[in-house]
Amino acid sequence: MLSGCASLIDRVSDHRLAQLRDTGLEAEVEARARDRLDNVMTSDDRMEALTDTFGALPEAASPELGVLMGAALDSNPAIGRAAQGIERAEAERLNAIFGYLPQVSASIQRDQLDQEVVETDNQVFQAGTASYPVNTDRIQLTQPIIDLSRIFGIRIANSARSLAEIEYVKSVKDVSAEVFDQYVIAIQSGQRAGFLQERLDLMDQQVGGIQRRIGVGEGQIVDLASMRSERGSLAAEIAFERTRYRNAVSTLSALSGRVITGGLPTELPAVTAYGPSTDLDRSLALGREENPAIMAAAFQVVMANMESWQSVFEDFAPVLSAYASLDREDRANSRFGGGSVTDDQLVGLRLTIPLFNASGRGYSSLTRRVDERVAALDYLATRREVETGIRGAHDRLNALADAISAARLSVRDAESALEREQDRVALGEGVNYSVLSRQVRLNVARERLAFYQAEYLRAWGELQYLTGGSLNEVVE
């Protein structure tokens, strides 16, 4: 029978999968699911508030970085989930406390008893045939007195609440760092697209100049073909940077919950000077102490240790509890021909001593010890990852500081060369074609400088994030 049922299920599954591939879900199923979702999302004020905060997508009041960061703090779903995590941890803490409070329950039982004594050597039971209802009402109270497992459960719940608060801080810093990075990427792409467009316009002038020179027999066809090829590559790069810009803006909208209709500013946020970063030891110390990922991993180790002790107490520690009950039993009849109403009061102590495999599931402390070591490994891996990231960010900052210095020098040299060439043209010693070439070189130098400055700002933001710094405060 089981084999036949399995075969039937397999056939139904194959048919159903084929149907889903062809037509998708049935219209009635989709409509029913939508109706149920609408009912859930409007079931109370708190659900409607979530919809208003995290479901709406209004326009951004301003495309400034501080405005977008503030909007992300208010309406980013990851931060909202972390906030709900704190509420859940608080509820679990209260439940852990309830676990050590009196346990009171009431039960009402209604039975119909059909009884017949089939065989007995007791003369009193010879008339043992009866059919009657029995009503039983019970109130029962149990109070744990000594239960180390429950006590550790309260301590674990307190630590879990602290962990939820750390996870909230981590979510805020994660989202802020992502908003900052995408904002810089968007401005970087917009700047580069602008520089490339300016260079494209200069190339168009150069192409026109080469064509005129060819017309009078001075230019080379090969120069024109090379210039057109380079122009096509520039046009492709402009399209790529505009796509990169739109992707960054789209990500910013998703992170902040705001539609960014206007263009972002064309200048990078002025939050730091472009210089080398030398205090590596201080950054490493801050990262170990302030990075929320390390703090969360450390709390996981502490909680794993407490859970290990809790499992030991569950497996081996005696449990002492007090109990009391009141039972009222109303029998309409009996085997002896008469009914009864009785009240039974019971008060006592219960000492439970686990001897061997008391739960029937072995010993959870065996696996908890492994979990504790795994948590320790996760903590060490997180700390190593953060320290490696801090060292890498420091190295990039120093390298980019050198690149920015060299790029600034290149811009000054290109500006000086352009001024001299323009003076030569004004004196009749040069030609406009040479001026265009100098302008292209200046454009390339400025584009490289702006690119390095944006990369420096991204590395600086990463270092702020890894060392536990608040980008919100810096931006504000």
Side-chain angles (χ1 to χ4, degrees):
M1 181 180 67
L2 291 175
S3 176
C5 290
S7 299
L8 178 62
I9 291 174
D10 291 340
R11 289 196 298 271
V12 171
S13 299
D14 293 340
H15 174 72
R16 182 59 179 160
L17 291 175
Q19 185 179 16
L20 289 173
R21 287 195 298 268
D22 294 338
T23 61
L25 288 177
E26 297 178 359
E28 294 181 1
V29 175
E30 292 183 356
R32 188 163 55 247
R34 284 194 297 268
D35 292 340
R36 290 174 178 173
L37 176 62
D38 292 339
N39 292 333
V40 172
M41 298 304 293
T42 57
S43 58
D44 55 42
D45 293 339
R46 298 199 65 179
M47 292 296 290
E48 292 182 356
L50 288 177
T51 302
D52 294 338
T53 303
F54 299 100
L57 198 63
E59 290 188 9
S62 170
E64 298 294 334
L65 178 57
V67 174
L68 295 179
M69 278 194 171
L73 294 180
D74 293 334
S75 59
N76 185 272
I79 297 177
R81 282 195 298 270
Q84 294 299 316
I86 296 177
E87 294 192 15
R88 178 183 178 84
E90 181 63 32
E92 291 178 346
R93 174 179 170 274
L94 291 176
N95 286 336
I97 295 173
F98 284 142
Y100 216 83
L101 296 179
Q103 305 163 22
V104 182
S105 63
S107 64
I108 300 174
Q109 185 173 342
R110 298 294 181 262
D111 301 318
Q112 177 64 36
L113 179 59
D114 294 325
Q115 188 175 59
E116 179 180 359
V117 178
V118 177
E119 183 178 354
T120 180
D121 57 1
N122 190 330
Q123 293 182 357
V124 177
F125 288 164
Q126 288 180 356
T129 300
S131 177
Y132 54 89
V134 179
N135 299 333
T136 305
D137 301 329
R138 165 176 286 195
I139 296 178
Q140 186 170 2
L141 180 146
T142 302
Q143 172 61 60
I145 298 177
I146 300 176
D147 191 338
L148 296 177
S149 174
R150 292 178 186 269
I151 293 174
F152 262 76
I154 296 174
R155 295 180 61 184
I156 292 171
N158 289 332
S159 297
R161 181 181 61 177
S162 299
L163 177 60
E165 292 171 348
I166 293 175
E167 291 289 353
Y168 175 79
V169 174
K170 181 178 181 299
S171 296
V172 170
K173 293 184 181 297
D174 288 346
V175 171
S176 298
E178 185 68 14
V179 170
F180 182 86
D181 190 62
Q182 292 298 321
Y183 191 86
V184 174
I185 288 176
I187 293 180
Q188 182 187 49
S189 296
Q191 287 180 336
R192 189 161 187 265
F195 281 117
L196 293 176
Q197 183 63 53
E198 180 183 346
R199 195 184 311 168
L200 187 66
D201 295 338
L202 293 173
M203 280 194 172
D204 287 340
Q205 297 181 42
Q206 287 179 313
V207 169
I210 293 175
Q211 289 176 335
R212 288 191 294 272
R213 292 171 62 191
I214 292 175
V216 296
E218 295 182 357
Q220 299 291 329
I221 297 295
V222 66
D223 294 336
L224 180 61
S226 177
M227 189 68 67
R228 285 176 174 173
S229 174
E230 188 174 351
R231 185 188 183 285
S233 298
L234 273 179
E237 288 190 48
I238 292 172
F240 172 78
E241 289 299 333
R242 287 174 178 170
T243 300
R244 188 167 175 251
Y245 173 84
R246 291 312 311 170
N247 287 338
V249 171
S250 178
T251 303
L252 281 173
S253 295
L255 290 169
S256 63
R258 299 292 185 270
V259 175
I260 303 174
T261 54
L264 296 178
T266 57
E267 298 297 327
L268 294 169
V271 295
T272 183
Y274 300 105
S277 180
T278 57
D279 200 353
L280 176 59
D281 292 337
R282 181 176 179 275
S283 296
L284 290 173
L286 283 174
R288 297 187 193 102
E289 296 177 1
E290 303 296 336
N291 185 278
I294 293 180
M295 295 171 64
F299 258 86
Q300 291 284 8
V301 175
V302 174
M303 289 181 60
N305 177 261
M306 288 191 291
E307 289 171 352
S308 178
W309 278 106
Q310 183 188 36
S311 64
V312 170
F313 293 134
E314 286 179 351
D315 292 337
F316 303 108
V319 176
L320 179 64
S321 59
Y323 59 90
S325 64
L326 173 62
D327 291 350
R328 166 162 289 193
E329 185 181 71
D330 184 356
R331 289 176 174 263
N333 204 344
S334 72
R335 291 169 295 181
F336 313 108
S340 64
V341 177
T342 60
D343 285 337
D344 294 334
Q345 299 178 10
L346 182 65
V347 177
L349 293 174
R350 179 184 297 112
L351 178 63
T352 304
I353 304 174
L355 296 179
F356 176 74
N357 193 23
S359 64
R361 298 187 299 271
Y363 295 99
S364 59
S365 56
L366 298 176
T367 58
R368 289 296 186 184
R369 292 178 190 140
V370 179
D371 294 340
E372 184 178 357
R373 293 193 292 270
V374 170
L377 285 173
D378 290 340
Y379 164 72
L380 295 174
T382 302
R383 192 175 68 179
R384 177 185 295 179
E385 181 181 358
V386 170
E387 290 184 3
T388 303
I390 290 174
R391 293 179 185 275
H394 266 268
D395 292 342
R396 288 196 300 276
L397 284 175
N398 292 332
L400 287 167
D402 293 340
I404 289 172
S405 297
R408 282 174 172 166
L409 181 60
S410 176
V411 169
R412 286 196 296 269
D413 290 341
E415 289 174 342
S416 178
L418 175 60
E419 290 176 0
R420 288 195 298 270
E421 196 64 39
Q422 289 174 335
D423 291 341
R424 290 182 61 197
V425 171
L427 294 174
E429 299 177 359
V431 293
N432 287 329
Y433 184 79
S434 298
V435 172
L436 289 176
S437 298
R438 298 294 183 186
Q439 288 176 332
V440 169
R441 292 190 182 94
L442 177 60
N443 175 275
V444 172
R446 286 175 174 171
E447 183 253 314
R448 286 290 91 191
L449 175 60
F451 181 84
Y452 294 145
Q453 288 175 335
E455 287 298 305
Y456 182 95
L457 204 57
R458 292 182 65 193
W460 176 85
E462 181 184 2
L463 183 61
Q464 285 289 114
Y465 166 72
L466 291 173
T467 55
S470 175
L471 287 169
N472 301 82
E473 296 177 358
V474 173
V475 172
E476 292 173 359

